[in-house]
Amino acid sequence: MKNSMAETAVGAFVVAIAVGFFSFMYFVGGLGGPAQGFSVKASFGSVDGISVGTDVRMAGIKIGSVTAQDLDRENYRANVEMSVDATVKLPEDTTAKIASEGLLGGKFISLEPGGSETLIASGGQIEFTQDAIDIFGLVSQFVLGSNKSDDNKSESDTAQ
């Protein structure tokens, strides 16, 4: 009976530690709790590598995160909603682009402020966007493109 009580107490302790750990990760990871900041939307042709929770950065500093994304079924563009720190003021001509941390690194949304004195209000739209660059697509296009030009060159040489 004493062993059974000790095992129950240890089990309850382990469960309490696990619940505490997951609660800590949920709130610190930015997944739970109210979003601190204001909401801004942007529309992209492609959001490869972007998901809910992805960083929103300005000058390399994290100023927010992606809170939602969906497909516009009328024009087939990806709509992204971001929560941006309330202390950051975004001019209406701000540009949003999907950038990469490196050749094989993760992606994030980079905001570059414009020069307008009019600011984007909460719930506003960023009009100027740049899609993610498909590095592997560019490399394969370069490799296939160089083979095609070599084929055309050899065909023109044999025709002469």
Side-chain angles (χ1 to χ4, degrees):
M1 181 111 174
K2 287 184 179 182
N3 284 341
S4 150
M5 287 296 279
E7 290 172 357
T8 302
V10 169
F13 180 72
V14 168
V15 168
I17 294 287
V19 167
F21 174 74
F22 285 115
S23 298
F24 174 76
M25 293 304 295
Y26 184 74
F27 288 106
V28 170
L31 299 174
Q36 298 175 354
F38 65 97
S39 175
V40 177
K41 299 174 184 171
S43 178
F44 295 92
S46 174
V47 290
D48 292 333
I50 301 296
S51 61
V52 173
T54 297
D55 288 355
V56 175
R57 300 180 188 176
M58 183 179 286
I61 307 295
K62 180 179 177 179
I63 60 166
S65 61
V66 174
T67 56
Q69 60 182 4
D70 66 341
L71 180 66
D72 185 339
R73 301 207 189 308
E74 291 181 18
N75 61 13
Y76 303 108
R77 292 182 57 85
N79 295 324
V80 176
E81 187 172 336
M82 302 166 270
S83 176
V84 177
D85 187 348
T87 61
V88 176
K89 305 300 181 203
L90 298 176
E92 69 179 353
D93 57 349
T94 296
T95 302
K97 69 177 182 176
I98 298 175
S100 180
E101 292 178 344
L103 188 58
L104 298 176
K107 301 220 174 158
F108 61 93
I109 296 181
S110 176
L111 299 182
E112 296 177 11
S116 175
E117 292 185 17
T118 306
L119 301 177
I120 298 174
S122 182
Q125 179 85 18
I126 295 175
E127 297 298 326
F128 307 107
T129 62
Q130 180 179 343
D131 300 345
I133 297 172
D134 182 13
I135 299 290
F136 296 111
L138 290 175
V139 170
S140 66
Q141 184 179 14
F142 175 74
V143 170
L144 294 175
S146 65
N147 286 341
K148 287 181 182 176
S149 64
D150 290 343
D151 290 344
N152 291 338
K153 200 182 284 185
S154 64
E155 288 175 9
S156 65
D157 288 344
T158 57
Q160 292 177 356

